[in-house]
Amino acid sequence: SSHAQSTFNISIPTTSAWTDTGINIPDGTFFTINASGTVKYGPLGVQTTGPDGGNYTDPQFFSTAVLPNTYIVSLIGKIGGTTAIGTGTPVPEGVAGKGPGFVGSSYGEFIATGGELFLGFNDQVGQFGDNSGSFSVSVTVPEPSTFAFAGLGILIYVASIRKARKQATA
């Protein structure tokens, strides 16, 4: 691709609600996340999941989860805030119906208002102690300078056309 971009490879543990990725998402950015791995979210052998989440029993949404309206035990994301639960703004859901903040295994969304990216695990609050494993995550973000220079170039070009038209009509 001709656009400059940066890819960050990070590990997101399932033993805490949120992990600060250290990645800043610029305003008005389309960015992607790809995640893989199998993690345990409880003591039972069946309590394993991938980034797309989903409980081994039927309920997929838990009122006690970090993001209660989002698929349980899935990879989740938010912009801003801290590693504390209830801070920041969930990213737009990556799959319709999976809830705000849902990232899953393959994500690509537009972020109007950027900030620090946090990724996490949507387990029930207070239930992180019996988790193990982490997701391998790759975050790809366009470099903001590309946008700035492209925008500036377009503005200069448009201004020069307007000037030329004015001179032609004078």
Side-chain angles (χ1 to χ4, degrees):
S1 136
S2 62
H3 296 291
Q5 55 188 30
S6 300
T7 299
F8 305 89
N9 294 306
I10 46 182
S11 178
I12 302 300
T14 57
T15 49
S16 57
W18 294 108
T19 299
D20 186 347
T21 65
I23 301 167
N24 184 59
I25 307 294
D27 290 357
T29 299
F30 183 90
F31 76 108
T32 60
I33 298 173
N34 288 295
S36 61
T38 302
V39 300
K40 283 185 66 62
Y41 61 92
L44 306 178
V46 289
Q47 289 177 296
T48 61
T49 188
D52 293 322
N55 196 41
Y56 74 100
T57 60
D58 198 38
Q60 303 297 353
F61 298 89
F62 282 69
S63 61
T64 53
V66 173
L67 296 178
N69 300 315
T70 305
Y71 230 53
I72 195 70
V73 295
S74 63
L75 180 66
I76 52 174
K78 68 178 180 177
I79 300 290
T82 66
T83 54
I85 295 168
T87 65
T89 304
V91 295
E93 65 184 351
V95 176
K98 295 283 179 95
F102 180 83
V103 171
S105 58
S106 182
Y107 185 85
E109 292 292 330
F110 179 81
I111 300 292
T113 305
E116 188 90 357
L117 176 67
F118 290 78
L119 292 174
F121 189 57
N122 197 32
D123 203 348
Q124 298 182 70
V125 175
Q127 298 295 312
F128 288 86
D130 59 3
N131 296 349
S132 63
S134 60
F135 295 125
S136 296
V137 178
S138 175
V139 181
T140 302
V141 183
E143 290 179 4
S145 58
T146 311
F147 289 127
F149 287 127
L152 188 61
I154 291 165
L155 286 174
I156 291 168
Y157 177 71
V158 168
S160 67
I161 291 172
R162 285 193 177 139
K163 192 174 182 185
R165 281 190 184 147
K166 258 188 188 158
Q167 287 170 340
T169 58

